[in-house]
């Protein structure tokens, strides 16, 4: 509004500048010119300068200190005061000179405003980010879920107009943290309390930093798996470390069990983002935990029938049309209890399992809903209670995650699942569901999870693949994609018990080797000789080749068990390369691990 009035006044000024010479030429005495010529020149300069500065301030916003001038009545009152009190104080006696004097003063005021707005425009152009509206979002992710949540949080804040920097922890420096005033951290815990690979360097360096971050406000969402003893340990360390450096927590640490599909921590994190001003509509458009699919169980077969180890099954799922995943991605499965377990629970509590209930947005028989619950923790409903309300309070079975062993072009999504057997002989809930209890063509609830940390590089550089046991599943998908791309510089190291019974996907691997897509294939079968021989031994024996491939720009992909193979392979690499070189490979994305 103020600018519109200023534009109108400038038009008046321009018109007055044109008419004043005519007025004095025809109606004024020449002796009055000495009173007005100086004012006219001041008037002309002020108006010309203001008009010249106008384009430079057109895109800026009004000055907040002048918001009260938006009101018409206040502006009219100001002009009235000028008329009654300011004009009579003019140093000139002639009415025409008085009006010229008043007009020149208004023009000078307008010029000063233009200069101020021009200065504000320059500042905004030089530093568009308002520090108070800038958010740093740091993440540490091994399997991709923390990264997905961090990206979603960043998108919500950006949609609300905030400036956001998204960075993995290894990229953060002491100076960046010191310059940030607000930060969110989404971090997972790897293995027994370790930081993920893209936070390991930060973890080592941060413990040596002594600078105070008392200007920093932060919140931490910690991801973990309750089956591990050190649940969310890295998130707890980060939260405590920031506190020790004088940073101020916006809220207490949030713990998210990544196996819990309906964790309240996600709701609390979203409430925090909303409180901070994030775009809630963007959150609805980008669900993290609700992209569930139903896939039919196409077939399964035992992959190691004569093995001395636990049975492993290749499970093929018929995915819905339009489903897409990349080599290296993961699959989360919502397991179900066996029909026998559900029937025993219903019999024990004398409850009719055929009665219809509303559960998870579906109308299903009660027995179907019970199949998804942790039955050993479920107490029967109280007499007269509503089944809908009772079901909402019952714990669901935790999710199970698996490496995908195929690419979409192969038609089916393949898994390699090893059965877990408890001391009682009962099967584990995830492996039991996929390998024994689910019937062929029965729908399986699942969701695809992007695992960007384990995707292939965009170029055709040489790749070294290391796997043991069922870890060959994730490596098989990567090899299938490399074959599809026609990229032949692949080296595979694989270890298991015996070659005749435990060489998973042997037919595919041997065919790709014969076709020239696997240049080297080093196998380590631990029970085929008197002395145990594992995949780390095969890698150590090929140290010269390892150094040669890395010198050519090769990247290393490791998939399998963290305890044993994962740690042993890491130690071989440390001995061959040194800690600094191995850390550099991690920073460059040339050392990638999917270990469990």
């Amino acid at each position: 509004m103020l600018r519109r009035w200023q534009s109108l006044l400038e038009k008046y000024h321009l018109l007055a500048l044109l008419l004043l010479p005519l007025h004095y030429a025809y109606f004024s005495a020449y002796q009055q010119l000495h009173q007005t010529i100086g004012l006219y020149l001041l008037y002309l300069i002020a108006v010309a300068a203001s008009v010249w500065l106008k384009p430079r301030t057109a895109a800026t916003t009004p000055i907040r200190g002048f918001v009260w001038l938006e009101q018409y009545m206040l502006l009219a009152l100001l002009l009235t005061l000028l008329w009654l009190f300011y004009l009579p104080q003019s140093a000139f006696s002639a009415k025409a000179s008085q009006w010229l004097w008043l007009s020149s003063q208004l023009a000078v005021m307008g010029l000063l405003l233009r200069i101020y707005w021009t200065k504000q425009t320059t500042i905004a152009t030089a530093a568009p980010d308002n520090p108070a509206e800038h958010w740093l979002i740091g993440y540490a992710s091994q399997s991709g879920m923390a990264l997905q949540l961090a990206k979603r949080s960043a998108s919500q804040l950006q949609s609300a107009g905030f400036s956001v920097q998204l960075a993995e922890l290894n990229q953060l420096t002491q100076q960046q943290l010191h310059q940030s005033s607000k930060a969110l951290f989404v971090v997972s815990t790897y293995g027994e309390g370790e930081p993920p690979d893209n936070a390991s360097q930060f973890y080592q360096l941060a413990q040596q930093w002594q600078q105070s971050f008392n200007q920093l406000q932060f919140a931490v969402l910690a991801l973990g798996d309750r089956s591990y003893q050190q649940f969310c340990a890295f998130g707890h360390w980060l939260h405590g470390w920031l506190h020790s450096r004088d940073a101020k927590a916006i809220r207490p640490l949030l713990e998210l069990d990544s196996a819990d599909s309906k964790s309240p921590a996600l709701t609390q994190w979203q409430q925090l983002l909303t409180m901070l001003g994030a775009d809630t509509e963007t959150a609805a458009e980008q669900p993290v935990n609700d992209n569930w699919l139903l896939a039919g169980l196409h077939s399964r077969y035992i992959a190691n029938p004569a093995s001395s180890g636990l049975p492993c099954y290749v499970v093929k799922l018929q995915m819905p049309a339009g489903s897409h995943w990349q080599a290296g991605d993961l699959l989360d499965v919502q397991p179900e209890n066996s029909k026998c377990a559900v029937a025993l629970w219903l019999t024990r509590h004398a409850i009719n399992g055929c009665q219809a209930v509303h559960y998870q947005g579906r109308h299903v028989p009660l027995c179907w809903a019970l199949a998804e619950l942790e039955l050993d923790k479920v107490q029967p409903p109280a007499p007269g209670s509503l089944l809908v309300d009772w079901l909402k309070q019952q714990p669901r079975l935790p999710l199970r995650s698996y490496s995908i062993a195929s690419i979409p072009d192969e038609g089916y999504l393949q898994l390699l699942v090893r059965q877990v057997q408890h001391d009682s002989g009962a099967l584990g809930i995830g492996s039991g569901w996929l390998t024994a209890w689910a019937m062929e063509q029965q729908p399986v609830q699942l969701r695809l999870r992007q695992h960007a940390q384990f995707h292939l590089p965009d170029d055709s550089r040489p790749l070294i693949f290391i796997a043991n046991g069922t870890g060959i599943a994730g490596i098989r998908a990567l090899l299938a994609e490399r074959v599809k791309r026609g990229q032949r510089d692949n080296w595979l190291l694989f270890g298991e018990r015996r070659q005749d019974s435990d060489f998973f996907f042997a037919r595919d691997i041997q065919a790709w080797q014969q076709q020239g897509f696997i240049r080297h294939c080093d196998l380590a079968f631990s029970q085929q000789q008197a002395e145990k021989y594992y995949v780390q031994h095969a890698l150590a024996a090929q140290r010269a080749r390892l150094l040669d491939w890395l010198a050519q720009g090769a990247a290393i992909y490791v998939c399998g068990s963290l305890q044993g193979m994962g740690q042993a392979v890491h130690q071989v690499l440390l001995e061959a390369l040194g800690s600094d070189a191995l850390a550099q490979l991690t920073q460059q994305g040339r050392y990638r691990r999917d270990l469990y």
Side-chain angles (χ1 to χ4, degrees), residues 43-61:
Y43 192 18
L44 177 64
I45 293 171
V47 173
S50 182
V51 172
W52 180 73
L53 287 174
K54 184 176 181 179
R56 290 162 174 75
T57 63
T60 58
T61 56

Side-chain angles (χ1 to χ4, degrees), residues 190-194 228 468 560-568 595-596:
Y190 191 34
E192 291 294 347
E194 301 172 24
Y228 287 91
N468 78 319
S561 57
L562 173 61
Q563 303 295 330
M565 187 278 291
Q567 295 174 339
L595 302 175
Y596 44 85

Side-chain angles (χ1 to χ4, degrees), residues 399-448:
L399 305 181
R400 292 293 182 261
S401 297
Y402 300 94
S403 298
I404 299 175
S406 59
I407 59 176
D409 290 30
E410 295 180 283
Y412 299 99
L413 188 149
Q414 285 191 94
L415 304 175
L416 181 61
V417 182
R418 189 187 300 275
Q419 283 188 343
V420 175
Q421 293 185 3
H422 300 299
D423 294 339
S424 62
L427 295 178
I429 193 67
S431 63
W433 168 239
L434 290 174
T435 66
W437 306 329
M439 307 298 291
E440 287 194 11
Q441 306 307 317
Q442 183 169 352
V444 176
Q445 293 185 71
L446 50 82
R447 68 181 181 192
L448 296 163

Side-chain angles (χ1 to χ4, degrees), residues 109-297:
M109 290 174 61
L111 175 60
L112 292 175
L113 285 176
R114 287 290 185 204
I115 292 173
Y116 180 79
W117 278 329
T118 303
K119 181 179 178 182
Q120 294 299 102
T121 304
T122 304
I123 294 173
T125 304
D129 290 338
N130 182 352
E133 297 180 349
H134 178 81
W135 282 92
L136 170 67
I137 298 184
Y139 67 89
S141 180
Q142 193 70 33
S143 64
M145 188 170 182
L147 173 59
Q148 187 179 3
L149 284 166
K151 285 183 175 179
R152 181 186 188 227
S153 302
S155 177
Q156 289 179 246
L157 289 170
Q158 287 173 332
S159 298
F162 294 99
S163 171
V164 178
Q165 177 191 1
L166 181 67
E168 65 179 32
L169 290 194
N170 277 351
Q171 295 175 341
L172 293 182
T173 64
Q174 186 174 193
Q175 183 179 6
Q176 284 176 295
L177 285 175
H178 184 67
Q179 292 175 345
S180 300
S181 60
K182 295 182 179 179
L184 300 176
F185 297 94
V186 185
V187 298
S188 62
T189 296
Y190 191 34
E192 291 294 347
E194 301 172 24
D197 287 343
N198 56 9
S200 57
Q201 186 176 358
F202 172 87
Y203 176 70
Q204 295 173 1
L205 294 175
Q207 297 179 71
Q208 304 171 18
W209 296 344
Q210 299 301 322
Q211 190 170 8
S212 172
F213 302 130
N214 56 5
Q215 85 296 337
L216 181 65
Q217 294 179 308
F218 73 94
V220 175
L221 175 63
L223 282 70
D225 186 340
R226 290 194 185 276
S227 63
Y228 287 91
Q229 193 171 12
Q230 302 295 327
F231 178 60
C232 291
F234 180 64
H236 281 276
W237 172 86
L238 178 62
H239 195 276
W241 177 81
L242 288 167
H243 256 304
S244 71
R245 298 299 184 271
D246 305 318
K248 302 172 184 64
I250 300 172
R251 64 147 296 134
L253 174 77
L254 281 172
E255 295 180 339
L256 171 62
D257 186 350
S258 55
D260 186 354
S261 60
K262 299 293 181 182
S263 173
L266 280 177
T267 303
Q268 295 172 33
W269 184 255
Q270 182 56 51
Q271 290 171 348
L272 172 64
L273 290 170
T274 303
M275 181 189 73
L276 297 174
D279 187 350
T280 55
E281 292 184 2
T282 303
E285 294 170 1
Q286 296 182 334
V288 172
N289 266 51
D290 296 330
N291 51 341
W292 288 95
L293 304 171
L294 288 176
L297 177 59

